Amino acid sequence: MGTSLDIKIKRANKVYHAGEMLSGVVVVTSKDAVQHQGVTLTMEGAVNLQLSAKSVGVFEAFYNSVKPIQILNSTIEMVKPGKFPSGKTEIPFEFPLHVKGGKVLYETYHGVFVNIQPQQGKVTPSPVDFTITPETLQNVKERALLPKFLIRGHLNSTNCAITQPLTGELVVERSDAAVRSVELQLVRVETCGCAEGYARDATEIQNIQIADGDVCRGLSVPIHMVFPRLFTCPTLETTNFKVEFEVNVVVLLQADHLITENFPLKLCRA
């Protein structure tokens, strides 16, 4: 005798928001009639803070002190004890998506330190103009050895709707050294912590080239980056963890001179 059980959600994309109704059916398939002691269905949602492999031995005290943050927990009795007939039996269910104790229903997300198992915000444009010269660079040991250059640019907004691209432009006004490449590097920054300490992990999640070779001086190079759906989520900050994003404008000159300008981003789901 073989019996299988499957849960099917009515909404094809499986995307829900707080306050909505999660509905579907539990499908029981069996060749013969099956006696059972009742069927219950439980829905759980939690934020799990997990230890990165490279942080082993660094902050186990923090890791052991932070328990999963439960934001959803509902159980319903679907069927009382009895018998399922042979063939296929479909049992409908509905769950209201109400969070516990006034907590926030964060967007599902998987990172290095932070996993969220099941927000919507208003995006206010925040344009940024930038100028990069040898004098504006930080963490430079021998500034005098750098070639002379002047790079100007503009980001249309560092407050970004996660479903819309990051846009802007970059212009190499002048450079004594030939330009080899211009790239955009998207970085996810996860911070976890408590009274015992904090851990910060930065991960490159996307790198795209927007110019190849020695670009013409004074030519506007478009900046256009689509945020990867599987590796980004709305920027969020809580008591025990933060998930933030940054973009680096990276210009590689001849003789392997690497120029990087960093811009913090705020991602929202508008």
Side-chain angles (χ1 to χ4, degrees), residues 130-132 136-137 247-251 259-263:
F130 60 88
T131 300
I132 309 173
T136 64
L137 297 179
V247 66
N248 294 323
V249 176
V250 182
V251 181
I259 304 163
T260 302
E261 190 78 3
N262 176 269
F263 302 93

Side-chain angles (χ1 to χ4, degrees), residues 142-160:
E142 298 179 335
R143 199 178 300 273
L145 299 180
L146 289 174
K148 298 296 182 182
F149 58 85
L150 172 60
I151 301 170
R152 299 185 192 276
H154 175 84
L155 296 178
N156 291 330
S157 182
T158 54
N159 291 341
C160 305

Side-chain angles (χ1 to χ4, degrees), residues 142-219:
E142 298 179 335
R143 199 178 300 273
L145 299 180
L146 289 174
K148 298 296 182 182
F149 58 85
L150 172 60
I151 301 170
R152 299 185 192 276
H154 175 84
L155 296 178
N156 291 330
S157 182
T158 54
N159 291 341
C160 305
I162 199 170
T163 55
Q164 300 297 318
L166 172 71
T167 57
E169 63 177 12
L170 178 144
V171 179
V172 180
E173 300 285 2
R174 63 176 183 269
S175 176
D176 292 347
V179 177
R180 292 175 54 187
S181 178
V182 182
E183 299 172 1
L184 294 178
Q185 180 188 54
L186 183 62
V187 178
R188 179 184 62 215
V189 182
E190 297 168 80
T191 305
C192 299
C194 63
E196 284 75 11
Y198 285 82
R200 184 178 186 272
D201 189 270
T203 307
E204 178 187 306
I205 57 176
Q206 182 167 266
N207 190 302
I208 63 173
Q209 186 180 54
I210 61 173
D212 182 22
D214 197 13
V215 298
C216 297
R217 305 303 183 257
L219 177 69

